Amino acid sequence: MSITQNKVVSMSYVLKNNEGQVLDQADEQQPFMYLHGSQNIIPTLEAALSGKNVGDTLQVSIPAEQAYGEHSQELVQPVPRAAFAGVPAEHLVVGAHLQAQTDEGVRVVTIAAVDDQNITVDGNHPMAGIDLNFNVKVVAIRDASPEEIAHGHVHTPGMHAH
Ligand code: ZN
């Protein structure tokens, strides 16, 4: 069986940036699963997996603009400290993640800088501006259930709260 539309793919992977730093990974014992053809994963990676078989390995390098986008300076904004009145001080440190209410709903922002007047928040995805280098191994392939195809994602045992 090879990877085609509506197959559930289990894969192990290591994701590195261009400097070789590991950003994310899944091993063969606890592989990452997705429904092929349902845009569950980055399109470039999904396309590279098309037609592959169990045991195949592949290397896929994806420029930032095809992954989580370039880092946008417009999404980095100083916000007056008063807006964070309800947030414990220990959460207001550089690198911390906060949930922010925006016009497009709740999104996660990262604190980029802190001074006496302002907290500078960065609304970019944490992987924005980063070229992604995947080393992938296909661990298993199965047919998706009709329910999975209808939902557009994989169902794992015990996961049915939706
Ligand atoms: Zn579902």
Side-chain angles (χ1 to χ4, degrees):
M1 183 181 284
S2 58
I3 297 174
T4 55
Q5 181 82 25
N6 294 333
K7 299 297 185 198
V8 172
V9 179
S10 300
M11 65 189 209
S12 60
Y13 70 89
V14 178
L15 168 61
K16 293 179 180 175
N17 62 17
N18 286 347
E19 288 69 49
Q21 184 187 359
V22 174
L23 304 176
D24 195 12
Q25 58 189 319
D27 63 26
E28 290 189 44
Q29 282 66 50
Q30 290 186 299
F32 172 79
M33 296 169 75
Y34 78 96
L35 178 59
H36 193 78
S38 289
Q39 295 169 327
N40 292 170
I41 62 174
I42 298 167
T44 305
L45 182 59
E46 187 166 50
L49 281 154
S50 244
K52 296 290 188 256
N53 300 287
V54 171
D56 284 353
T57 58
L58 57 158
Q59 269 194 313
V60 187
S61 292
I62 306 174
E65 66 264 28
Q66 289 176 28
Y68 293 99
E70 298 290 1
H71 190 272
S72 167
Q73 202 56 37
E74 287 172 20
L75 295 177
V76 181
Q77 293 175 335
V79 179
R81 268 187 176 272
F84 299 88
V87 180
E90 66 264 30
H91 291 181
L92 297 177
V93 295
V94 173
H97 298 291
L98 294 175
Q99 292 195 333
Q101 192 67 48
T102 72
D103 295 343
E104 289 133 43
V106 175
R107 64 186 296 163
V108 174
V109 300
T110 306
I111 296 180
V114 173
D115 66 28
D116 290 345
Q117 274 84 45
N118 295 310
I119 305 292
T120 300
V121 298
D122 183 345
N124 287 282
H125 188 281
M127 289 193 192
I130 299 176
D131 296 334
L132 304 181
N133 302 287
F134 285 92
N135 271 294
V136 177
K137 182 178 181 186
V138 180
V139 175
I141 304 168
R142 67 168 169 83
D143 290 317
S145 70
E147 190 185 47
E148 286 173 323
I149 293 168
H151 286 199
H153 54 230
V154 174
H155 288 165
T156 50
M159 162 202 159
H160 262 107
H162 63 269

